[in-house]
């Protein structure tokens, strides 16, 4: 004889119900407390951008980085170089003393991805074709990762940053509603944040204001503008001492004297060593701190600077300093990005999408609830309770993990409702079959679940595998669909199978005494 009892199934179901209520409620209210489900670009509006990466700039930057490394090694090994100049295609090196040729050969041999052409004491260092391809590809991948890191630190929820084609990047920013936020996000994305420490050409700095770029290039120098006064020019050596690739941290601080925001940066061990060697050998000279080809400061070196730290001061606002620090921490773009296409999706369109989707979701849910009650009686009511808990669990888990709800995601919820109900339809049909065979209620319920289990597990498992594949290889909204489907299926296994079984066990005495028509919509032929 069946007895009313509280089993582990019912306890797990009640705990799941409480969990769903507690963590899904913030998503249904205007409360600022608790984590909420983030709405995607198609539901809350925002900014859509298509960017292209100037991969040719990455190749030039690579050449300059190699030139900087060669200069550091030749200075360190006292190799006398008459000329070391980088252009957009390669590096020219002229030795003063033929006795240094062997040591220079050893230095160049250690550099990967280059081919060296030698004519007496003159060297020409070029990137190999494969290195150019690899550099271009790396520039796009690095831009994707860097932009994603910057937007994460900017505080935007679930931005989409994905590579498209060979050199394009798709960026979607949900929640960008004002023109000011839009401009700030675009500035942060497009900022190169290319930090360089460069030696000021002390011999010619006095005539820099009257010099043009061609004249500067003839001396192996560059003319760069002062960040505060663009009309003032600095003449700096075109080969940097080091760049931001050796930077490990950047933080906003305040100047002790002016109380203005500054940015303190820290270099890695290699950068610190190069920085220390340079400052030790150039006491009394000036060092230009260059960010995105503008000189922010050019202090005189008073002594060797160890520790690999420095600061950038430029009359920043706190917001500017914070954004620059974010850009530096997340890494410089080794190649600039261009804006190819931009679309602002208004909140009104998103609200319209939400309204239409909610109508579809509500109508579908009501029809399913009515169907279950009309066909399966009180067993259908229990299935509907499990279905509600299923939806609450889904919303709660999405909110806790910061998942984004998109229109395809709402379709995933509808599909999940269908699959959850389908599981209970299979179970109730198995119970009905056993009732027709004349078994008692207790046996029908226990065997009904056992017989239905394999079909339900197989169906849910294959759908779960499909969702995993969609998430792994899909993009944007497809991932959102896969996430809601996966969470919904797992929640369904918990509620539609474990939950309803626990409720049947708890109500077993009433079921035994009641009418089978009332409970399962099927009249038992007694006797």
């Amino acid at each position: 004889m069946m007895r009313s009892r509280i089993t582990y199934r019912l306890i797990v179901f009640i705990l799941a119900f409480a969990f769903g209520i507690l963590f899904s409620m913030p998503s249904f209210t205007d409360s600022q407390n608790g984590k909420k489900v983030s709405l995607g670009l198609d539901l809350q509006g925002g900014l859509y951008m298509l960017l292209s990466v100037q991969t040719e700039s990455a190749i030039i930057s690579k050449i300059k980085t190699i030139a900087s490394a060669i200069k550091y090694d030749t200075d360190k090994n006292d190799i006398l170089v008459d000329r070391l100049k980088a252009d957009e295609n390669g590096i020219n090196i002229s030795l003063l003393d033929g006795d240094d040729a062997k040591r220079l050969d050893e230095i160049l041999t250690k550099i990967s991805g280059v081919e060296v052409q030698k004519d007496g004491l003159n060297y020409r260092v070029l990137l190999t074709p494969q290195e150019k391809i690899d550099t271009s590809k790396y520039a796009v991948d690095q831009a994707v990762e860097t932009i994603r890191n910057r937007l994460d630190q900017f505080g935007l929820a679930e931005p989409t940053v994905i590579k498209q084609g060979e050199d394009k990047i798709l960026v979607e920013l949900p929640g960008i509603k004002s023109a000011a936020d839009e401009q700030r996000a675009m500035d942060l994305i497009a900022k190169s944040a290319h930090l360089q420490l460069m030696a000021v050409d002390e011999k010619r700095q006095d005539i820099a204001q009257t010099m043009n770029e061609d004249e500067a290039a003839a001396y192996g120098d560059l003319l760069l503008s002062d960040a505060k006064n663009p009309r003032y020019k600095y003449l700096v050596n075109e080969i940097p001492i080091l760049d931001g690739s050796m930077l490990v941290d950047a933080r906003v601080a305040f100047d002790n004297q002016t109380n203005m925001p500054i940015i303190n940066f820290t270099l890695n061990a290699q950068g610190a060593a190069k920085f220390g060697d340079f400052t030790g050998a150039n006491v009394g000279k000036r060092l230009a701190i260059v960010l995105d080809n503008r000189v922010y400061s050019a202090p005189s070196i008073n002594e060797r600077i160890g520790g690999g730290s420095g600061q950038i001061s430029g009359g920043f606002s706190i917001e500017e300093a914070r954004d620059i620090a974010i850009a530096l921490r997340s890494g410089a773009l080794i190649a600039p990005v261009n804006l190819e296409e931009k679309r602002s999706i208004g909140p009104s369109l998103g609200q319209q999408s939400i309204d239409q989707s909610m109508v579809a979701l509500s109508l579908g849910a009501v029809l399913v609830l009515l169907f279950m009650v009309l066909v399966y009686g009180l067993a259908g009511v229990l299935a509907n309770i499990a279905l509600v808990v299923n939806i609450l669990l889904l919303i709660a888990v999405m909110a806790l993990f910061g998942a984004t709800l998109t229109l395809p995601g709402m379709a995933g919820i509808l599909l999940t409702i269908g699959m959850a109900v389908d599981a209970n339809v299979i179970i109730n049909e198995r119970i009905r079959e056993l009732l027709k065979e004349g078994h008692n209620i207790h046996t029908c319920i226990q065997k009904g679940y056992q017989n239905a289990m394999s079909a339900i597990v197989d169906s849910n498992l294959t759908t779960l595998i499909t969702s995993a594949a969609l998430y792994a290889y899909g993009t944007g909204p497809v991932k959102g669909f896969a996430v809601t489907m996966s969470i919904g299926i797992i929640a369904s296994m918990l509620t539609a199978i474990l939950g309803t079984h626990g409720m049947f066990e708890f109500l077993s005495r009433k079921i035994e005494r009641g009418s089978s028509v009332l409970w399962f919509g099927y009249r038992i032929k007694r006797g």
Side-chain angles (χ1 to χ4, degrees):
M1 179 180 291
M2 296 177 69
R3 291 287 183 270
S4 299
R5 55 196 177 115
I6 298 175
T7 63
Y8 78 92
R9 294 185 179 92
L10 185 62
I11 293 173
V12 171
F13 180 71
I14 292 173
L15 290 176
F17 194 2
F19 175 87
I21 287 283
L22 181 63
F23 292 101
S24 65
M25 281 303 106
S27 299
F28 295 115
T29 64
D30 294 330
S31 170
Q32 298 300 315
N33 298 321
K35 293 186 175 181
K36 297 185 176 186
V37 172
S38 303
L39 299 181
L41 189 70
D42 50 356
L43 293 181
Q44 66 168 319
L47 188 62
Y48 166 97
M49 289 185 288
L50 185 63
L51 310 171
S52 64
V53 182
Q54 297 180 26
T55 54
E56 62 278 5
S57 297
I59 294 173
I60 297 173
S61 177
K62 176 83 174 181
I63 291 171
K64 287 189 174 182
T65 300
I66 293 174
S68 176
I70 293 173
K71 187 175 189 309
Y72 177 74
D73 286 336
T74 53
D75 290 345
K76 189 175 182 180
N77 291 280
D78 296 325
I79 296 175
L80 299 177
V81 175
D82 179 47
R83 181 166 175 261
L84 196 160
K85 182 175 174 56
D87 57 40
E88 59 184 20
N89 295 313
I91 305 163
N92 293 315
I93 308 170
S94 297
L95 282 178
L96 279 175
D97 189 346
D99 293 340
D100 291 333
K102 186 177 179 181
R103 288 192 293 160
L104 179 59
D105 289 343
E106 291 176 353
I107 291 172
L108 297 179
T109 304
K110 294 178 182 176
I111 302 173
S112 60
V114 301
E115 55 187 26
V116 180
Q117 299 169 356
K118 188 174 178 182
D119 181 14
L121 297 181
N122 297 316
Y123 290 75
R124 177 71 170 163
V125 181
L126 301 168
L127 294 182
T128 63
Q130 184 60 47
E131 184 65 20
K132 289 182 178 178
I133 294 173
D134 291 344
T135 301
S136 298
K137 184 179 177 185
Y138 174 74
V140 180
D141 293 340
Q142 188 261 359
V144 170
E145 193 63 27
T146 300
I147 292 172
R148 186 177 293 140
N149 288 340
R150 289 180 182 179
L151 293 175
D152 285 344
Q153 295 190 42
F154 187 64
L156 288 174
E158 292 288 318
T160 299
V161 184
I162 53 176
K163 180 179 175 182
Q164 288 213 327
E166 294 294 326
D167 61 351
K168 299 287 191 301
I169 300 174
L170 170 67
V171 179
E172 290 183 345
L173 305 176
I176 296 288
K177 294 182 173 66
S178 69
D181 284 346
E182 179 180 319
Q183 187 59 49
R184 191 178 170 205
M186 289 179 62
D187 289 345
L188 187 62
I189 290 171
K191 189 185 290 297
S192 294
H194 189 200
L195 177 68
Q196 294 174 300
L197 303 184
M198 310 180 84
V200 176
D201 188 339
E202 300 288 357
K203 294 180 182 177
R204 304 178 183 86
Q205 175 58 36
D206 291 341
I207 58 173
Q209 312 312 314
T210 59
M211 193 178 287
N212 61 41
E213 292 182 355
D214 291 336
E215 292 171 332
Y219 295 114
D221 290 334
L222 291 174
L223 270 177
L224 298 179
S225 300
D226 184 274
K228 302 171 191 171
N229 180 12
R231 301 176 71 177
Y232 186 81
K233 306 292 183 185
Y234 282 94
L235 191 65
V236 298
N237 195 308
E238 68 168 359
I239 298 175
I241 300 159
L242 53 84
D243 59 27
S245 62
M246 299 178 184
L247 185 143
V248 293
D249 193 19
R251 300 283 170 186
V252 176
F254 291 89
D255 188 286
N256 291 331
Q257 296 180 344
T258 65
N259 204 32
M260 292 292 292
I262 58 174
I263 302 161
N264 288 332
F265 62 85
T266 307
L267 302 168
N268 62 16
Q270 184 186 5
K274 293 179 74 171
F275 191 50
D277 290 348
F278 177 82
T279 52
N282 292 275
V283 172
K285 298 180 181 177
R286 279 178 289 178
L287 175 70
I289 298 176
V290 182
L291 183 64
D292 291 343
N293 292 324
R294 292 195 299 169
V295 179
Y296 277 77
S297 58
S300 294
I301 302 169
N302 297 322
E303 58 183 350
R304 183 183 187 279
I305 303 174
S309 61
Q311 66 176 220
I312 306 171
S313 56
F316 305 118
S317 65
I318 293 178
E319 195 173 69
E320 287 173 333
R322 176 175 171 269
D323 287 352
I324 290 174
I326 288 173
L328 288 171
R329 278 202 305 274
S330 57
L333 293 174
I334 61 175
V337 294
N338 286 338
L339 181 62
E340 298 284 330
E341 182 183 350
K342 184 189 79 170
R343 291 203 307 267
S344 293
I345 299 175
S348 58
L349 178 60
Q351 188 59 50
Q352 185 181 2
S353 301
I354 292 175
D355 294 342
Q356 292 175 343
S357 300
M358 287 306 296
V359 169
L361 194 61
S362 302
L363 184 61
V366 168
L367 291 177
V368 166
L369 295 176
L370 283 175
F371 171 82
M372 291 301 291
V373 173
L374 292 175
V375 175
Y376 297 108
L378 289 177
V381 173
L382 298 187
N384 290 340
I385 293 173
L387 183 63
V388 172
V389 177
N390 187 3
I391 295 174
L392 293 176
L393 269 181
L394 195 156
I395 299 296
V397 173
M398 288 184 69
L400 284 179
F401 286 92
T404 299
L405 181 62
T406 61
L407 275 177
M410 296 185 80
I413 293 176
L414 266 176
L415 195 53
T416 297
I417 291 174
M419 292 195 67
V421 169
D422 187 52
N424 283 121
V425 167
I426 294 173
I427 291 168
N428 289 331
E429 286 300 321
R430 294 291 180 273
I431 293 174
R432 279 183 163 188
E433 289 171 2
L434 291 165
L435 286 172
K436 290 177 183 177
E437 293 173 4
H439 298 285
N440 61 46
I441 291 289
H442 173 72
T443 302
C444 291
I445 291 174
Q446 296 302 326
K447 286 194 173 182
Y449 275 91
Q450 291 173 9
N451 296 341
M453 192 60 67
S454 61
I456 296 171
V457 170
D458 289 348
S459 171
N460 285 343
L461 191 60
T462 51
T463 308
L464 199 59
I465 293 171
T466 305
S467 298
L470 283 176
Y471 185 82
Y473 298 103
T475 58
V478 177
K479 279 182 181 286
F481 176 79
V483 167
T484 51
M485 275 294 296
S486 301
I487 298 173
I489 289 170
I490 295 171
S492 161
M493 298 284 280
L494 178 66
T495 57
I497 301 173
L498 201 68
T500 54
H501 199 170
M503 286 190 282
F504 276 134
E505 288 174 329
F506 180 71
L507 299 170
S508 57
R509 181 171 292 179
K510 291 185 178 178
I511 295 174
E512 205 169 25
R513 292 175 179 172
S515 163
S516 60
V517 175
L518 183 66
W519 276 99
F520 297 101
Y522 175 77
R523 184 180 299 281
I524 301 173
K525 295 178 181 177
R526 299 184 185 278

